[in-house]
Amino acid sequence: MGTPYAYGGGGPDGPGRGFCDNGNGSSGGRCAATSTIGFDCSSLVQYAYWPHTQLPRTAAAQYQATAHRPVSRGELRPGDLLFWAHRNGSIYHVGFYVGDGRVLHAPRTGRQVEVVALDSAMPASDYRGATRA
């Protein structure tokens, strides 16, 4: 909790310096990720599960790797992975279910790793579903 968000930053070894790509990693019109040591959403998940479960690096790849173990909203358990997708179906965000309708996630540039209500983590209409790693 409280670790900064860094687009492209972090991995199995912990927080790392991010990068900027097509506006991602920018804040206030300037690249913030390259000067920030932290996690993005998928590196936070990767770090938490490593080395017991070696998940891929991106949210989309993590969804693909775990999609064969879907979890309904009524069956969520702490540690389940929660995914959000664009209208075209491409996964763009992942977080952990921590119980009581809350999610632990690294939301975006300028924010920190936080716990929030599942329905306020990302747009509710983008919620794709949950899987068990």
Side-chain angles (χ1 to χ4, degrees):
M1 294 277 295
T3 301
Y5 178 94
Y7 180 79
D13 295 327
R17 195 171 306 281
F19 63 89
C20 291
D21 178 22
N22 297 325
N24 292 314
S26 296
S27 179
R30 41 179 277 255
C31 182
T34 58
S35 61
T36 303
I37 304 292
F39 289 109
D40 66 12
C41 64
S42 57
S43 68
L44 177 65
V45 167
Q46 189 182 45
Y47 174 72
Y49 275 96
W50 206 274
H52 180 265
T53 302
Q54 296 183 7
L55 293 170
R57 175 62 180 84
T58 67
Q62 290 172 356
Y63 181 75
Q64 289 175 347
T66 60
H68 63 285
R69 291 186 297 274
V71 179
S72 70
R73 223 166 153 152
E75 299 295 319
L76 286 171
R77 295 192 312 215
D80 287 342
L81 302 179
L82 307 168
F83 293 93
W84 287 263
H86 296 291
R87 286 184 186 169
N88 67 6
S90 64
I91 301 293
Y92 72 84
H93 190 66
V94 62
F96 299 97
Y97 186 70
V98 295
D100 296 323
R102 298 173 66 77
V103 60
L104 170 73
H105 72 142
R108 66 179 173 275
T109 301
R111 302 269 298 272
Q112 297 179 344
V113 174
E114 64 184 10
V115 174
V116 296
L118 191 148
D119 289 330
S120 68
M122 292 285 139
S125 62
D126 289 357
Y127 181 72
R128 173 66 180 258
T131 65
R132 196 156 285 151

